[in-house]
Amino acid sequence: KLATDPPGSLGSGASESLLRAGHRVLAVDPFYYGESRIGSRDFLFALLVSTVGDRPLGLQARQLGAVARWSQQQHKQTPSLVAIGPRASLGALVATGLEPDSITGLSLYGSLTSLKQIISDNKGVNEAPELFCFGLLETFDIPQLEALVSPREIVHLDRKP
């Protein structure tokens, strides 16, 4: 399992619980999280990255994909992702959609049900820079991103079936 545990959510508890259940856990700090977090005015880096045609969400997804490919090669087993919170969940969802051969499944806790929530919750780029991915909502929303993962399973840990 590749776990992204952002601070302020279930945190390291998710990784610890996966370990107790017998899973191998690689806790990843993609761009904007943990050890990869920028100390102040991090949203300015998101804007800078966007000026050269990239997106922080894309960086996170590619980083998670690279770790998944590395893990698959090292351990001879295709990993699944576990992400907690709306920010980590979106990056994990995109990574899983882009890596059909390297990520076997996805477990999400506290994920968005629609990208429109960013607007309705009045989020600012200074609060969640990677959620502001120009043009994404125009073409895709969460249901379409989830469809890219199919037929692999997405488990919403906080939603009733």
Side-chain angles (χ1 to χ4, degrees):
K1 303 265 184 195
L2 298 177
T4 57
D5 287 343
S9 65
L10 296 178
S12 63
S15 294
E16 290 169 6
S17 121
L18 289 167
L19 284 169
R20 280 192 300 274
H23 296 280
R24 175 184 291 119
V25 174
L26 297 172
V28 180
D29 285 340
F31 189 48
Y32 281 124
Y33 290 103
E35 298 296 319
S36 297
R37 183 159 172 74
I38 298 166
S40 64
R41 299 185 185 176
D42 58 346
F43 66 95
L44 294 176
F45 287 88
L47 296 172
L48 176 66
V49 165
S50 296
T51 64
V52 295
D54 212 336
R55 301 291 179 263
L57 176 62
L59 290 175
Q60 290 174 347
R62 288 193 309 272
Q63 287 172 330
L64 291 172
V67 171
R69 289 188 305 275
W70 174 85
S71 176
Q72 183 180 34
Q73 185 178 43
Q74 287 294 119
H75 304 292
K76 308 299 183 226
Q77 187 176 19
T78 306
S80 60
L81 287 180
V82 177
I84 301 165
R87 295 174 66 192
S89 293
L90 184 58
L93 178 60
V94 171
T96 305
L98 293 173
E99 295 287 342
D101 298 327
S102 302
I103 300 173
T104 190
L106 179 61
S107 297
L108 303 174
Y109 185 88
S111 64
L112 297 169
T113 56
S114 172
L115 294 172
K116 294 175 186 173
Q117 286 177 258
I118 301 162
I119 299 164
S120 65
D121 291 348
N122 201 26
K123 291 283 185 201
V125 71
N126 59 323
E127 298 172 86
E130 68 282 338
L131 296 182
F132 290 82
C133 188
F134 181 76
L136 181 61
L137 180 56
E138 183 178 7
T139 309
F140 292 98
D141 200 356
I142 299 298
Q144 290 80 27
L145 293 171
E146 288 182 347
L148 292 175
V149 175
S150 183
R152 294 166 293 158
E153 183 178 24
I154 299 175
V155 176
H156 292 277
L157 299 170
D158 58 339
R159 296 185 196 162
K160 295 182 182 182

